[in-house]
Amino acid sequence: MDINLSVNIGKLKICNPIILASGTVGYGEEIAKFLELSKIGAIITKSISLKPRKGNPPQRIVETPSGMLNAIGLANVGLEEFITNKIPLLEKFNSTVICNIAASSIEEYVECTRTLNDFDIIKAFEINVSCPNVREGGLIFGNDLSAVGKITNQVRAATEKTIIIKLSPNNSQISEFAQVVKDEGGDAVSAINTLVGTAFDINTRKPIIKNITGGLSGPAIKPVALAKILEISRKINIPIIGLGGIMNWKDVIEFMIAGASAVQIGTVNFINPFAAYEMIEGIANYCISNSIKNISELTASYQL
Amino acid sequence: MSKIIIENSIVESNERINSNVYLLKVTSPEIASQIGVGQFCNIKVSDTDYPLLRRPLSICDVEDDKLFFLYQVVGVGTEILSRKMKGDRLNILGPLGNGFNIQDDFETAIIVAGGIGIAPFPFLIKKIMNKNIITYVGFKTKADIIDYGLKNCKYSTDDGSLDFKGTCVDLLKSEGKTLNSKCKIFACGPNSMLRNLKEFCSDKNITCEVSLESVMACGFGICQGCAVESKNDDNYKLVCKDGPVFNINEIKI
């Protein structure tokens, strides 16, 4: 049986629904030692900002039960260096590239998008309005409906390419944000970014993470992610890229059933850099066993 | 950089050395054939999501197709590791990072290690047997002392229960008057120890390489969790990818 694993997200067509999440594979260099990136649905770059960011001081991460907290602080090489040194590398990998953009003002989002729009290798933009670890931008935008609307609207004016807005779970009604994205011309949403969390050292009574709080990721957040995706899926007609604690192919199927058109994998890359391959194989076998011709049939196939 | 391998390795032995330090030997032919002095591996201690992350451990020694790791039980991951028995399987990622540079011109290797900081040195010592080697090694107390794989050891204890009372850096300072430019220091231990050592090295103008420890998730540069401040510019370096071995002047400790 011929299985079609390809899926569409806005104008973007990818060869399978497995996408490497932003901030978990840098610009592809290191993960390319394990994966042939052309075989993966897409890779989302580490957030790019106009100027380089050196990131937060250590300690930046801590393991928590079935998860981890991180406060890397959007460390990135900046727009210029990305264009000069990272884009040629990504071109060499022949991968489908989605560029994640982080900014501290609407103008900065627009400037980055407009500049990067000229590069054919970049097929879509993921707009990060939900990083919990930086003061400016990040959650200040992510929890503000009108700011998310304005950003979507302005970025839309700067590019014809697919726009994905990465939503925060750190609010009560994620579907309202998805509605605003749709109304303002966004093509898709990715859900969810990390959940704000912290951990203390009981001897020093200090937070373990220097930034005090960090973003919780890993299997610990999977049920939250599924519920948020389901909420969006039931209320708003917009493609969803699901993420949050996906560890194996069964999780991928579960996310698609809950409403995701494609998924992103993040934390699992740190532990098993071959995870993407294993998932592609696993979902193909699932489709064969269940006589599913097109994997996209699974999206929002929940029986409530 | 050599290829990074993921290997399902088989535990040969996991011997308790003292109250909370163990020596793990695993058969891991592919990694064993590639790994160099001062590099490390990232080990998955459980098949489940708890604990989620791998545990980074310095390579302690290599014999044929066997990897040796000397580790201290400090938390849930190393506690689970300490219960592994002969025949158990461990998923190991390695070799990782940049190790010690033993090609440059030195006649005497001064090894300075605090506590479990001795871990990377048995392999190093094996590779530099043609040099003079003096090892300054410090522990909290006499009962903690381990000399596994070390050579020509001088001991210090914080409480003075054996030999010199103080840290291994204090001991080095007390004896180090004869050090010269033909000496090179290799060090590993707590940051407070490395700070003192840094001062000493710059006073004496001696080259020193340190192996740093850090919390990390991936071990190969993608999580950016193991940042350490760089001395030369305003940026961070990554312990996993730029280190774990650094020239002591490259970094802020």
Side-chain angles (χ1 to χ4, degrees):
Chain A
M1 189 174 144
D2 251 4
I3 304 295
N4 178 15
L5 290 184
S6 71
V7 298
N8 297 309
I9 298 140
K11 293 170 270 308
L12 177 69
K13 183 175 180 160
I14 56 178
C15 63
N16 62 61
I18 311 297
I19 300 171
L20 305 178
S22 180
T24 71
V25 288
Y27 309 102
E29 272 160 279
E30 294 85 6
I31 201 76
K33 289 176 188 151
F34 300 93
L35 302 173
E36 229 178 284
L37 293 178
S38 59
K39 293 187 175 165
I40 313 301
I43 169 176
I44 308 186
T45 66
K46 177 91 185 140
S47 288
I48 305 296
S49 48
L50 201 53
K51 298 276 174 250
R53 280 174 183 262
K54 65 178 211 169
N56 289 331
Q59 183 168 340
R60 290 176 168 186
I61 63 168
V62 64
E63 188 181 45
T64 57
S66 298
M68 61 178 281
L69 290 166
N70 88 76
I72 308 299
L74 299 179
N76 83 89
V77 296
L79 186 61
E80 204 181 305
E81 167 80 7
F82 176 70
I83 291 170
T84 316
N85 288 318
K86 305 300 178 184
I87 286 185
L89 204 76
L90 287 161
E91 281 168 340
K92 214 177 66 192
F93 297 139
N94 202 17
S95 47
T96 300
V97 178
I98 301 172
C99 190
N100 183 295
I101 293 173
S104 45
S105 70
I106 294 177
E107 294 73 31
E108 191 183 346
Y109 281 113
V110 171
E111 190 173 343
C112 287
T113 308
R114 192 175 290 138
T115 309
L116 291 168
N117 191 46
D118 295 339
F119 293 88
D120 286 342
I121 176 90
I122 297 168
K123 302 294 184 221
F125 293 98
E126 182 181 64
I127 307 299
N128 185 358
V129 294
S130 47
C131 177
N133 300 322
V134 293
R135 240 167 294 158
E136 297 167 319
L139 271 187
I140 294 178
F141 290 144
N143 279 339
D144 180 338
L145 275 173
S146 75
V148 170
K150 263 186 215 147
I151 293 166
T152 309
N153 178 287
Q154 300 279 307
V155 170
R156 177 76 288 164
T159 182
E160 296 278 302
K161 294 178 183 178
T162 297
I163 296 172
I164 304 153
I165 308 290
K166 188 167 185 177
L167 298 181
S168 170
N170 299 298
N171 51 49
S172 54
Q173 288 282 311
I174 198 168
S175 52
E176 291 178 2
F177 289 85
Q179 181 69 58
V180 165
V181 170
K182 186 180 160 71
D183 292 346
E184 297 300 332
D187 297 290
V189 293
S190 31
I192 57 175
N193 207 326
T194 55
L195 286 150
V196 175
T198 190
F200 283 89
D201 180 320
I202 60 167
N203 295 313
T204 62
R205 305 186 190 188
K206 288 175 188 283
I208 297 172
I209 300 245
K210 187 85 173 177
N211 189 54
I212 302 177
T213 58
L216 180 63
S217 67
I221 71 166
K222 191 184 118 183
V224 179
L226 285 166
K228 297 283 184 188
I229 290 161
L230 181 64
E231 181 196 323
I232 300 168
S233 171
R234 292 181 76 183
K235 292 186 174 168
I236 321 292
N237 182 21
I238 188 168
I240 304 162
I241 305 176
L243 74 156
I246 293 175
M247 295 297 284
N248 54 51
W249 68 265
K250 290 180 185 172
D251 294 339
V252 177
I253 301 290
E254 200 177 352
F255 272 67
M256 292 189 74
I257 292 170
S261 297
V263 299
Q264 294 178 24
I265 59 171
T267 302
V268 70
N269 299 318
F270 302 155
I271 303 146
N272 175 13
F274 291 119
Y277 277 171
E278 293 169 12
M279 290 177 197
I280 294 166
E281 195 188 330
I283 57 174
N285 289 335
Y286 174 87
C287 288
I288 293 168
S289 321
N290 291 278
S291 308
I292 294 166
K293 269 199 130 143
N294 295 299
I295 193 136
S296 55
E297 292 167 36
L298 278 175
T299 298
S301 61
Y302 41 79
Q303 306 289 316
L304 299 179
Chain B
M1 204 170 95
S2 61
K3 197 177 158 220
I4 303 173
I5 299 155
I6 295 188
E7 197 165 32
N8 277 313
S9 312
I10 300 159
V11 175
E12 292 303 319
S13 64
N14 193 14
E15 183 192 345
R16 190 172 178 167
I17 304 282
N18 71 20
S19 64
N20 64 353
V21 174
Y22 290 75
L23 180 66
L24 171 72
K25 293 185 194 177
V26 299
T27 301
S28 198
E30 279 195 66
I31 296 175
S33 71
Q34 300 275 332
I35 198 162
V37 285
Q39 288 192 292
F40 70 102
C41 292
N42 215 354
I43 303 177
K44 187 81 172 95
V45 300
S46 127
D47 294 333
T48 69
D49 294 339
Y50 185 76
L52 183 65
L53 302 177
R54 292 172 181 271
R55 291 298 185 270
L57 295 179
S58 281
I59 188 70
C60 173
D61 202 357
V62 178
E63 260 175 32
D64 304 321
D65 60 353
K66 309 262 186 302
L67 302 174
F68 294 44
F69 299 98
L70 189 70
Y71 64 96
Q72 189 168 2
V73 174
V74 292
V76 63
T78 41
E79 201 277 320
I80 291 170
L81 190 61
S82 74
R83 285 188 264 126
K84 298 290 174 190
M85 301 203 299
K86 185 176 166 62
D88 286 349
R89 280 171 193 274
L90 281 174
N91 185 278
I92 303 184
L93 176 71
L96 301 169
N98 297 306
F100 294 109
N101 177 9
I102 52 175
Q103 303 304 326
D104 49 353
D105 181 35
F106 64 97
E107 286 170 2
T108 301
I110 313 282
I111 293 170
V112 184
I116 196 64
I118 66 168
F121 295 119
F123 194 28
L124 174 75
I125 288 170
K126 213 189 244 181
K127 295 281 183 185
I128 55 168
M129 283 305 245
N130 57 334
K131 314 273 187 187
N132 299 318
I133 299 169
I134 310 169
T135 308
Y136 293 89
V137 52
F139 292 92
K140 280 201 176 98
T141 184
K142 190 179 169 183
D144 293 342
I145 287 178
I146 302 164
D147 62 358
Y148 176 81
L150 302 180
K151 194 183 161 193
N152 204 3
C153 287
K154 293 169 185 279
Y155 297 105
S156 71
T157 47
D158 293 352
D159 64 0
S161 54
L162 184 91
D163 295 348
F164 183 86
K165 185 179 179 182
T167 70
C168 53
V169 178
D170 296 335
L171 176 59
L172 172 69
K173 282 178 182 166
S174 75
E175 294 198 344
K177 294 185 182 69
T178 56
L179 295 187
N180 57 51
S181 59
K182 291 287 179 193
C183 295
K184 179 171 179 179
I185 296 179
F186 299 91
C188 183
N191 281 352
S192 55
M193 173 199 127
L194 298 179
R195 269 192 294 274
N196 284 336
L197 184 62
K198 188 173 186 172
E199 223 169 86
F200 176 78
C201 291
S202 71
D203 285 354
K204 298 275 178 185
N205 201 19
I206 298 170
T207 308
C208 174
E209 286 183 6
V210 291
S211 174
L212 295 189
E213 185 178 48
S214 173
V215 171
M216 61 182 71
C218 67
F220 55 96
I222 58 172
C223 79
Q224 308 224 331
C226 58
V228 56
E229 234 176 314
S230 164
K231 183 80 176 149
N232 304 325
D233 51 40
D234 201 27
N235 269 316
Y236 291 108
K237 288 185 178 293
L238 298 179
V239 171
C240 73
K241 203 179 142 194
D242 302 317
V245 175
F246 294 94
N247 184 300
I248 204 164
N249 294 320
E250 267 182 279
I251 42 163
K252 287 182 192 162
I253 305 170

